[in-house]
Amino acid sequence: SSHFGSSRQCSSYSLSSPRRPLAAMPAKSSCLARTGVALLLGVAAWESCSPSTFVGTRAPVQQARTAMNGYRFDWMLEGKNGEKGLQTTDGYWVGEVGFEKAMGAQGYRYRMRPTSKEMKEGKEIDGLIFQIGPLKLRLGEAFGGTGNNEALRVLKKKLVAEGMYDKAKITENEYWKKRFGHNRWEPSYIDQSNGLPTNGLFRGLAAWSGIDPLKEEKGKTWFEAD
């Protein structure tokens, strides 16, 4: 009987065992479906992303949003057409390199740094260059840089000599002189700095005030730009 019972158990097990994989099949199919959906979503996300977000890919070419006409600084300085703001014109643009070259061609300094010609000739560059072995460093420019040089001093003298040149302002000054007893407009102020070395760190009172009735400093330790 025991042998018969064990055989029945074995037969029941053998009959029921093929049914278990059939019961697990719906779980596998649902897992495959979820995997397929995830792959589709991944592909869609990949296609929708911009190529510029991935390393090694080239970003699409876009037109610059800041493109604009070049600034006409000469018009802005003149106040052309009565405008005091930024003025531009087509096809005209000057960057920092252009300014440096343009000013250097006229002998003026850009960013209070000696021109390449002044550096070659060693003109008015005392204390600006320090040499350590074979290396030459322009450390002095951080503490003693100036935009003054011979060309700028000549320009300052010219501006002072011209004085008031605007005809409209001259006419208005004549009216104000008759009506109120004084001018409406004054010539533009031109600073008297010259960039030349001075005796010591501190200047005398005459240099600071511009008044030297006893001629104690003027022409000796203090020289006016004009």
Side-chain angles (χ1 to χ4, degrees):
S1 61
S2 60
H3 177 71
F4 179 77
S6 60
S7 61
R8 290 184 62 185
Q9 292 178 358
C10 292
S11 61
S12 63
Y13 178 77
S14 61
L15 291 175
S16 61
S17 57
R19 296 179 182 178
R20 292 187 178 181
L22 294 177
M25 287 180 64
K28 289 185 177 180
S29 60
S30 61
C31 181
L32 291 175
R34 288 195 297 268
T35 303
V37 172
L39 290 175
L40 291 176
L41 293 176
V43 172
W46 178 277
E47 293 295 333
S48 62
C49 289
S50 174
S52 60
T53 58
F54 298 95
V55 178
T57 59
R58 181 176 298 178
V61 179
Q62 297 181 356
Q63 186 177 3
R65 297 180 180 179
T66 58
M68 62 179 65
N69 299 329
Y71 292 127
R72 283 299 299 264
F73 287 94
D74 53 342
W75 290 1
M76 292 157 59
L77 292 174
E78 296 173 3
K80 188 175 182 179
N81 301 326
E83 298 181 7
K84 296 184 179 180
L86 298 176
Q87 299 190 46
T88 61
T89 184
D90 291 335
Y92 189 97
W93 172 257
V94 178
E96 284 199 81
V97 176
F99 267 113
E100 186 174 2
K101 291 182 178 179
M103 295 179 66
Q106 302 177 67
Y108 301 122
R109 294 182 176 184
Y110 179 70
R111 295 185 305 168
M112 299 190 297
R113 299 293 183 263
T115 64
S116 58
K117 183 179 179 181
E118 290 175 332
M119 293 296 294
K120 292 178 181 179
E121 297 177 355
K123 192 174 184 180
E124 296 189 30
I125 60 172
D126 295 339
L128 299 181
I129 300 179
F130 291 87
Q131 185 169 356
I132 303 176
L135 300 178
K136 291 184 179 181
L137 306 176
R138 304 173 68 169
L139 298 177
E141 293 179 348
F143 306 98
T146 176
N148 288 287
N149 60 0
E150 184 178 357
L152 187 60
R153 289 191 290 270
V154 172
L155 177 61
K156 287 182 178 181
K157 292 180 181 180
K158 181 180 178 181
L159 293 175
V160 171
E162 287 181 352
M164 183 73 66
Y165 59 88
D166 191 327
K167 294 182 180 180
K169 292 182 178 180
I170 293 175
T171 303
E172 191 173 359
N173 275 347
E174 293 175 356
Y175 171 79
W176 274 62
K177 192 70 175 179
K178 295 178 181 179
R179 181 72 181 271
F180 305 106
H182 61 84
N183 293 330
R184 169 66 176 84
W185 301 98
E186 297 292 339
S188 301
Y189 171 75
I190 307 299
D191 71 273
Q192 297 186 10
S193 62
N194 53 33
L196 298 175
T198 57
N199 296 330
L201 180 62
F202 300 101
R203 301 191 299 172
L205 294 177
W208 284 106
S209 62
I211 301 174
D212 189 14
L214 300 179
K215 306 298 181 182
E216 295 177 335
E217 299 179 21
K218 189 174 183 179
K220 300 177 182 179
T221 61
W222 165 50
F223 301 89
E224 287 186 311
D226 54 355

